[in-house]
Amino acid sequence: MGNTLVVGAGGVAWASVHKMAMNADIFSKITLASRTKSKCDAIAASVKERTGVEITTAALNAMDVGATVALLRETGAEILVNLALPYQDLKLMDACLEAGVHYLDTANYEPEEEAKFEYHWQWAYQERFKAAGLTAILGSGFDPGVTSVFATWLKKHKLDTIRQIDILDCNGGDNGQTFATNFNPEINLREVLADVRHWEAGEWKVSPPMTTKVPFDFPEVGEKNMYLMYHEELESLSTHFPEIERARFWMTFGDEYIKHATVLNNVGMTRIDPVMHNGVEIIPIQFLKTLLPDPGDLGALTKGKTCIGDIATGEAKDGSGEKTYYIYNICDHEECYREVGSQAVSYTTGVPAMIGAAMVLKGLWREPGVWNMEQRDPDPFMDMLNAHGLPWQVHELDGPVDF
């Protein structure tokens, strides 16, 4: 059990592969592949030093289906864990179907030429994965991922229905940089600068980015400004829990981040279409990415905590009427760095990717088809969160949120 191919060698892969190596009873063999093999080798060296586990590395262009199929067959992998860019999701799903391998990712597909991330492209693979007897798990990060499992756990144990849900993502860490993103700068800025959408009264409500701001006092972090954003779990949750009347996603940003992102956007540095510069075609946001700090290098510099979770309101299972629960995890940047050498944003995505893969490898989530996290049994996943560095807690609130 546990022959795994991980594709991608960024900060999330760094955290996830270290955690896989720490669970060798589940992950018996690990191969790490990326376009830049030297990044894989650096992760492998750290894994060997920290855990004593040897992992294999390989160079791979994830957009080349044939090359991925060949590597899957060469390694004999049972599951492909996609920790690469979301542009590559469909190509990697195609490779898994051809090679007869289970699939898992942390973010839904997004066309490279358009900042538009939706699940319909991947949901269209449902019948093909069913027919092949293969399992595909979508969005096994924190948000999406754990936040969706949180919602399912509440529905299983606390609430018969969820009338409204707010997902709150707070990074209270400080890395001392003037402007830096906590994950891939290109993906981060495309996400933050996209039009805001939230689900309300049976339709999507649209508003401009970075315009709806609410202060919130986060446990163990304190008061931070959080901004309304669109995030893919809103689509899957409103689809699979059709009783939801309102679903929103919030993320915290400091004033300096908002100022820099606004200016960069205003001057065209976040454009995703090609432009000519001195006779060379470049994509501005990709050039900007080369100038910004690598999120993978920020672990040693980052101090503080993250607090990510759901506030959900619905009818209580015990018949006592409507109740509101806040379920969340708190993660310490410095503790993450001591354990695996990464900051908490990479850790909170990488650990759930490991746990989601474990669910498939252990046969607990191995139903043929394409599934979002809220469609699986939450209990074994929640148990592993507590056991592997992301403990959660749930508290009843006095009433629904007033923002």
Short mmCIF file of all heavy atoms in Angstrom, two decimals, residues 14 30 144 188 197 211 243 285 349 400:
data_model
loop_
_atom_site.label_atom_id
_atom_site.label_comp_id
_atom_site.label_asym_id
_atom_site.label_seq_id
_atom_site.Cartn_x
_atom_site.Cartn_y
_atom_site.Cartn_z
N TRP A 14 6.63 20.59 -0.53
CA TRP A 14 7.65 20.45 0.52
C TRP A 14 7.01 19.94 1.81
O TRP A 14 7.47 18.95 2.40
CB TRP A 14 8.32 21.81 0.76
CG TRP A 14 9.42 21.76 1.79
CD1 TRP A 14 9.27 21.61 3.14
CD2 TRP A 14 10.82 21.85 1.55
NE1 TRP A 14 10.50 21.61 3.77
CE2 TRP A 14 11.48 21.77 2.81
CE3 TRP A 14 11.60 22.02 0.40
CZ2 TRP A 14 12.86 21.82 2.94
CZ3 TRP A 14 12.98 22.08 0.55
CH2 TRP A 14 13.59 21.99 1.80
N ILE A 30 7.55 6.88 -2.30
CA ILE A 30 7.19 8.24 -2.75
C ILE A 30 8.12 8.62 -3.89
O ILE A 30 9.35 8.54 -3.76
CB ILE A 30 7.34 9.27 -1.61
CG1 ILE A 30 6.50 8.86 -0.39
CG2 ILE A 30 6.94 10.66 -2.09
CD1 ILE A 30 6.86 9.63 0.87
N PRO A 144 -9.88 25.29 -0.69
CA PRO A 144 -10.84 24.22 -0.41
C PRO A 144 -10.18 23.02 0.25
O PRO A 144 -8.98 22.83 0.15
CB PRO A 144 -11.36 23.84 -1.79
CG PRO A 144 -10.19 24.07 -2.69
CD PRO A 144 -9.52 25.31 -2.13
N ASN A 188 -1.89 33.46 -6.54
CA ASN A 188 -2.42 34.31 -5.47
C ASN A 188 -3.03 35.59 -6.03
O ASN A 188 -4.17 35.95 -5.70
CB ASN A 188 -1.30 34.63 -4.48
CG ASN A 188 -1.74 35.56 -3.36
OD1 ASN A 188 -1.64 36.78 -3.49
ND2 ASN A 188 -2.22 34.99 -2.27
N ARG A 197 -17.46 36.87 -6.03
CA ARG A 197 -18.77 36.24 -6.16
C ARG A 197 -19.10 35.55 -4.84
O ARG A 197 -18.24 34.91 -4.24
CB ARG A 197 -18.79 35.21 -7.29
CG ARG A 197 -18.72 35.79 -8.68
CD ARG A 197 -18.97 34.72 -9.73
NE ARG A 197 -17.91 33.72 -9.77
CZ ARG A 197 -18.08 32.47 -10.19
NH1 ARG A 197 -19.28 32.04 -10.54
NH2 ARG A 197 -17.06 31.63 -10.22
N THR A 211 -13.23 45.23 -2.15
CA THR A 211 -14.08 46.36 -1.79
C THR A 211 -14.94 46.12 -0.55
O THR A 211 -15.36 47.08 0.10
CB THR A 211 -15.01 46.73 -2.97
OG1 THR A 211 -15.76 45.58 -3.36
CG2 THR A 211 -14.22 47.27 -4.15
N GLU A 243 -29.54 23.32 0.30
CA GLU A 243 -30.33 24.12 1.23
C GLU A 243 -29.63 25.42 1.61
O GLU A 243 -30.24 26.31 2.24
CB GLU A 243 -30.63 23.32 2.50
CG GLU A 243 -29.49 23.22 3.50
CD GLU A 243 -28.53 22.04 3.25
OE1 GLU A 243 -28.58 21.47 2.14
OE2 GLU A 243 -27.75 21.69 4.16
N ILE A 285 2.40 39.14 -15.29
CA ILE A 285 2.27 38.55 -13.96
C ILE A 285 3.33 37.47 -13.74
O ILE A 285 3.80 37.28 -12.61
CB ILE A 285 0.85 37.99 -13.73
CG1 ILE A 285 0.62 37.77 -12.23
CG2 ILE A 285 0.60 36.72 -14.53
CD1 ILE A 285 -0.82 37.46 -11.87
N THR A 349 -1.97 23.48 3.72
CA THR A 349 -2.41 22.86 2.46
C THR A 349 -1.77 21.50 2.26
O THR A 349 -2.41 20.54 1.83
CB THR A 349 -2.08 23.77 1.26
OG1 THR A 349 -2.67 25.06 1.46
CG2 THR A 349 -2.63 23.19 -0.04
N PRO A 400 -26.22 33.82 14.57
CA PRO A 400 -25.57 33.97 13.27
C PRO A 400 -24.67 35.20 13.22
O PRO A 400 -24.80 36.13 14.05
CB PRO A 400 -26.75 34.14 12.31
CG PRO A 400 -27.95 33.60 13.04
CD PRO A 400 -27.69 33.87 14.49
#
